Amino acid sequence: MTTVLETRNLVKRFGAFAATNDVSLKVEKGARQALIGPNGAGKTTLINLLTGVLEPTSGSVILEGQDITRLPSHQRVRRGIVRTFQINQLFNELTPLQSLALTVSNQLGISGRLWQALGRDERVAQRCDELLKQFHLDDVQDQKVALLAYGKRRQLEIATALACNPRMLLLDEPVAGVPEGERQEIFDIVNALPAEVTVLLIEHDMDLVFNFARTVSVLVNGALFAEGDVKSIASDPRVKSVYLGEGTPHG
């Protein structure tokens, strides 16, 4: 297996508090890996370190063998690390088609003439059509984002991330805030992501985690607490105690 993303002894301190504490994590090529942990475990801090939103106090982040610890976020995106957010970062006044056209055009280096490209560049039109169908957005492609059901907005955010052609896709709680009746469509979409895209999923919804992941990493109090396949993690009494609040502090 080829390691796509790796952290080595990653530490992030805020004063005396260690939000991440000596985290060494590997994500292999094509992985379907989940990062779970109770509230306050340090999951979002770790993702912010991986994507360059935060700089570590010590330790390193390695992408495909290259140290990217000090690279800014936009350079990491160019190298293939793309994320979604717990709270979507979409433009409410655009439509799904326009949102995807903006991203696809930027990837093709023609974002300066977006509106012309949307109508005339066959590459943009074709890729947008593929993404709209893949993410079940073709029936709402011309509606403003502000008017979309929340589940559809989450689908659009994942579609926009995939339009960036990621090598490493970080999905930060993709069903957070999504009504129960809209979750299955997101489950199906996440499960159907291209096999060549390596995915690290950060999620509280255990149905999604155990339906999607082949490897599960558990973070507690900023440290890597347990790691293994879905069956071993689901049956681990130490992991159960973390989620039930028995014995192990939540942090």
Side-chain angles (χ1 to χ4, degrees), residues 5 7 9-14 19-23 42-62 68-71 73 76 81 83 170 222:
L5 187 67
T7 68
N9 308 110
L10 204 60
V11 175
K12 179 60 181 180
R13 292 188 178 277
F14 297 97
T20 57
N21 188 10
D22 200 33
V23 175
K43 300 184 299 296
T44 297
T45 298
L46 180 58
I47 295 305
N48 285 337
L49 292 169
L50 295 178
T51 54
V53 175
L54 294 173
E55 285 195 8
T57 304
S58 61
S60 55
V61 180
I62 309 297
I68 62 167
T69 309
R70 303 302 168 188
L71 283 184
S73 294
R76 299 189 194 205
I81 296 183
R83 74 177 290 185
L170 307 174

Side-chain angles (χ1 to χ4, degrees), residues 4-5 47 50-52 61-63 68 73-83 164-170:
V4 174
L5 187 67
I47 295 305
L50 295 178
T51 54
V61 180
I62 309 297
L63 176 66
I68 62 167
S73 294
H74 69 278
Q75 290 190 22
R76 299 189 194 205
V77 172
R78 289 175 185 168
R79 293 189 181 211
I81 296 183
V82 180
R83 74 177 290 185
C164 294
N165 298 321
R167 294 184 181 87
M168 178 81 227
L169 179 59
L170 307 174

Side-chain angles (χ1 to χ4, degrees), residues 38 220-221 241-242 245-251:
V220 177
N221 291 333
S241 75
V242 169
E246 300 169 358
T248 305
H250 281 206

